[in-house]
Amino acid sequence: MKDDKYAPHNEDGSDEDLNALRERIDDLDHRIMALISERAECASTVARVKLAESPEAIFYRPEREAQVLKRIMALNPGPLANEEMARLFREIMSACLALEKPLRVAYLGPEGTFTQQAALKHFGDSAICTPLPAIDEVFREVEAGAVNYGVVPVENSTEGIVNHTLDSFMDSSLRICGEVVLRIHHHLLVGENTRRDKVSRIYSHSQSLAQCRKWLDAHYPHAERVAVSSNAEAARRVKSEWHTAAIAGDMAARLYALERLDEKIEDQPDNATRFLIIGNHDVPPSGEDRTSLVAAMRNQPGALHDLIEPFQRHEIDMTRLETRPSRHGAWNYVFFIDFRGHLEDPRVRAALDEVHQRASDVRLLGSYPMGVL
Ligand SMILES: C=C(O[C@@H]1C=C(C(=O)O)C=C[C@H]1O)C(=O)O
């Protein structure tokens, strides 16, 4: 027993105590397993009921999953943190859902990007996630039905909006089915042959270079900064190059087994990116939802005020307003609006009725549960 690597190293814990504790853990594991199996049976029955109602039934219910995770966090007795407990249940739900059929998800790749991390955070490990090289390709794959959902970035708290994503909505009939907010931590990564004082070039995506600008000015003022197509591509390059470093996140660092010279080098400690889940169906209310729409206005004085005034009057909390050039005619603009609430809420309906009358065109992009984790 003494050569057991788990044997107690402190004076007070005897082998007998530890053995008893391990027996208790074994017993708890068996009970947890029996409960998880029972839960999985239940989820399978739900799937059969849904299938009996309609052969087109959608097994995945984002609003229900958001409610489950919120309830788990509210009831969590500790000592595990709420996020940890919810993460475990996220995986249990993911595995239960995959019993029926694993979800197929496309994300803006390559592998190792924050978007992959967002896909994993939202759908769990049992979904089959495929990287695609461009945002419009993610849209196309979902439209074609080749995958069930897509994951694309939409805004970063320090650098602002991802224009490609907003523009893709203009030509698409897809719906927003969910959102994921990810805390973004950037690390300075090198391959095994590069020393700290030899770094002469730093690769990253332009957004990440911008998010670490002050840190780079202070620590590597003379290194050349080279923008590449993604953080993961930056990591891939430094794997085989000398005297270069990449700025990228955990997924890329792990994927390419790079050394972390410095961690969490982002200028804003609360740096976060919001991602959208795109699909082809509406999502019922979860109780805490957001709605997105795009509206085109006639080009006249006071147009923007007219557009947003109904939201204010109906006390709807607008969380984002973005302007993009319209594809139809020079100097025409469209407005992307996010607000709290669901299309089924009476107040939201009342405000939208008025918006419809005032705008020349309104397209509802969907109501969806606000990011839980
Ligand atoms: C079991 C259901 O279906 C799926 C599985 C869920 C789960 O394991 O809790 C939750 C929502 C759905 O994605 C359901 O709709 O309740």
Side-chain angles (χ1 to χ4, degrees):
M1 210 49 212
K2 279 294 167 209
D3 55 5
D4 177 353
K5 65 178 173 169
Y6 297 114
H9 298 295
N10 57 351
E11 297 300 325
D12 1 317
S14 69
D15 283 357
E16 283 84 326
D17 290 343
L18 274 192
N19 283 340
L21 284 169
R22 289 194 186 122
E23 268 170 34
R24 225 174 113 196
I25 287 179
D26 286 346
D27 179 52
L28 286 165
D29 284 348
H30 291 157
R31 281 152 61 192
I32 292 171
M33 188 161 62
L35 289 171
I36 292 177
S37 301
E38 198 180 326
R39 188 192 193 286
E41 292 287 356
C42 249
S44 290
T45 312
V46 172
R48 277 197 295 279
V49 171
K50 286 181 192 170
L51 205 56
E53 281 168 6
S54 152
E56 318 279 85
I58 303 161
F59 298 129
Y60 170 63
R61 299 300 294 259
E63 79 288 4
R64 169 75 184 144
E65 296 205 351
Q67 286 164 348
V68 170
L69 295 177
K70 264 189 288 188
R71 195 170 41 89
I72 289 296
M73 289 169 83
L75 296 177
N76 176 31
L80 290 185
N82 285 351
E83 287 69 27
E84 275 303 303
M85 190 60 102
R87 200 173 54 77
L88 296 175
F89 275 83
R90 160 69 284 156
E91 285 304 330
I92 292 175
M93 282 198 289
S94 180
C96 288
L97 188 69
L99 265 182
E100 233 28 65
K101 201 172 179 196
L103 282 180
R104 281 167 299 129
V105 176
Y107 65 90
L108 175 67
E111 251 186 291
T113 53
F114 288 112
T115 316
Q116 183 186 21
Q117 199 176 327
L120 193 67
K121 181 174 176 185
H122 190 79
F123 290 104
D125 220 15
S126 299
I128 299 171
C129 295
T130 313
L132 289 175
I135 287 173
D136 56 341
E137 288 189 38
V138 177
F139 274 75
R140 272 206 298 275
E141 285 289 284
V142 184
E143 273 159 10
V147 294
N148 303 109
Y149 297 96
V151 184
V152 290
V154 68
E155 66 180 309
N156 180 277
S157 54
T158 37
E159 281 307 302
I161 211 72
V162 181
N163 289 327
H164 280 314
T165 294
L166 294 190
D167 291 348
S168 296
F169 277 114
M170 288 195 219
D171 306 321
S172 164
S173 59
L174 290 181
R175 299 309 174 93
I176 304 176
C177 299
E179 66 172 10
V180 196
V181 180
L182 208 63
R183 289 292 289 270
I184 301 288
H185 295 302
H186 289 306
H187 314 307
L188 190 72
L189 308 171
V190 290
E192 55 192 351
N193 295 318
T194 299
R195 288 207 338 251
R196 181 184 292 274
D197 54 350
K198 287 278 193 276
V199 172
S200 60
R201 183 186 296 160
I202 299 175
Y203 296 112
S204 197
H205 188 269
S206 58
Q207 284 225 0
S208 308
L209 288 171
Q211 287 164 27
C212 304
R213 187 166 33 226
K214 286 191 198 138
W215 189 90
L216 287 169
D217 289 347
H219 296 85
Y220 288 91
H222 304 300
E224 181 192 6
R225 298 174 201 176
V226 180
V228 292
S229 59
S230 70
N231 296 345
E233 167 60 16
R236 191 190 63 77
R237 286 192 189 204
V238 307
K239 183 75 187 160
S240 54
E241 287 183 15
W242 288 30
H243 308 329
T244 64
I247 295 177
D250 288 320
M251 294 288 265
R254 252 179 278 146
L255 181 67
Y256 293 102
L258 297 172
E259 186 194 339
R260 295 158 192 241
L261 281 186
D262 288 284
E263 296 200 313
K264 299 188 179 174
I265 61 169
E266 59 277 2
D267 296 332
Q268 304 278 340
D270 54 355
N271 191 23
T273 294
R274 186 167 157 253
F275 299 83
L276 296 177
I277 311 300
I278 51 172
N280 46 29
H281 62 88
D282 290 324
V283 179
S286 74
E288 226 177 316
D289 301 283
R290 203 191 302 281
T291 299
S292 301
L293 60 81
V294 52
M297 291 300 283
R298 288 172 206 95
N299 205 353
Q300 63 194 30
L304 178 59
H305 174 266
D306 286 352
L307 178 66
I308 59 180
E309 189 272 333
F311 290 100
Q312 190 190 3
R313 195 157 23 81
H314 291 278
E315 294 179 357
I316 291 170
D317 181 11
M318 197 180 277
T319 51
R320 191 169 63 118
L321 172 67
E322 296 293 337
T323 312
R324 293 288 300 150
S326 150
R327 303 264 171 92
H328 309 289
W331 309 114
N332 280 331
Y333 292 91
V334 295
F335 302 99
F336 283 86
I337 297 176
D338 285 355
F339 55 89
R340 282 169 181 257
H342 193 280
L343 289 168
E344 291 183 12
D345 299 347
R347 265 191 312 145
V348 170
R349 282 186 182 204
L352 288 185
D353 280 347
E354 293 177 35
V355 170
H356 273 287
Q357 286 161 21
R358 296 172 185 206
S360 55
D361 194 12
V362 179
R363 209 158 71 67
L364 299 171
L365 303 181
S367 293
Y368 47 92
M370 289 175 67
V372 177
L373 284 173

